[in-house]
Amino acid sequence: RQLDSVLVVEGYMDVVMLAQHGIANATGTLGTALTPAHLQRLYRYTPRVVFCFDGDDAGRRAAARALDTALAFMQDGRQAAFLFLPEGEDPDSLVRRVGGEAFRDLVVAATPLSEFLFEHHASGIDLATVDGRAALSKVLLPGIERIPGTVFRELMRNALAQRIGVTTEQLPRA
């Protein structure tokens, strides 16, 4: 069946607890890394995938890997978002603490892939300097060029150009 969105979590207990709180559109990677095959299958059923990993270092690393994997699936009309949980929380513990409705609100407000892409790669780069802006461009352009959706790819190129202070035409093409 068609779903508005699918929530991707790490473990089966997360899926079980979310279902017990009325969130039936969750699936778990069950300790494995998200693969292109997983995303291909998920996007057959929904136009929006929300990644929700634990609020620890391993969860942040999993989110970065999911971001990299998702870029190649971002056709026009598809969406991906990232829900970052507080340190030490996982979906199981958080939904028990805040309840299903509040958790659903967090999912709706998840960070869009476009924002997370810039935040993740700009971390540690001084964008106030020319060198920093050039470094951001070098890091981001290969990933942006992997985006198959023509409109989304061009919007991401425009956002990058704006952030680093050049025109879109000045950005190299892969």
Side-chain angles (χ1 to χ4, degrees):
R1 66 188 174 136
Q2 285 296 112
L3 300 168
D4 290 338
S5 66
V6 171
L7 181 63
V8 177
V9 296
E10 289 183 68
Y12 67 92
M13 285 309 297
D14 295 325
V15 174
V16 169
M17 192 54 61
L18 289 167
Q20 287 180 353
H21 284 83
I23 301 169
N25 62 331
T27 187
T29 59
L30 304 177
T32 64
L34 181 78
T35 67
H38 291 141
L39 276 176
Q40 186 175 26
R41 192 166 294 132
L42 288 172
Y43 278 121
R44 280 192 212 145
Y45 298 103
T46 184
R48 183 172 190 253
V49 175
V50 179
F51 300 100
C52 178
F53 297 112
D54 297 355
D56 56 15
D57 287 337
R60 285 186 284 279
R61 285 191 304 273
R65 287 189 305 271
L67 171 66
D68 186 57
T69 303
L71 285 173
F73 289 88
M74 298 312 301
Q75 295 175 3
D76 296 337
R78 288 183 178 172
Q79 298 174 17
F82 294 81
L83 174 55
F84 296 100
L85 302 181
E87 181 73 34
E89 293 277 13
D90 61 19
D92 173 2
S93 65
L94 188 61
V95 75
R96 281 188 282 136
R97 189 165 57 78
V98 303
E101 191 62 37
F103 195 91
R104 268 190 289 281
D105 291 343
L106 293 171
V107 172
V108 169
T111 303
L113 176 141
S114 56
E115 287 179 32
F116 178 48
L117 180 69
F118 285 107
E119 288 171 12
H120 174 68
H121 289 293
S123 153
I125 294 177
D126 183 2
L127 297 179
T129 68
V130 171
D131 294 344
R133 292 190 302 271
L136 183 64
S137 175
K138 183 171 178 61
V139 169
L140 281 177
L141 262 176
I144 290 173
E145 291 299 327
R146 287 183 29 233
I147 297 170
T150 308
V151 172
F152 187 61
R153 182 179 57 245
E154 290 308 308
L155 289 170
M156 292 298 291
R157 285 177 58 81
N158 290 342
L160 175 60
Q162 195 171 41
R163 277 186 169 84
I164 64 173
V166 299
T167 66
T168 306
E169 293 77 26
Q170 291 171 311
L171 290 175
R173 293 269 179 195

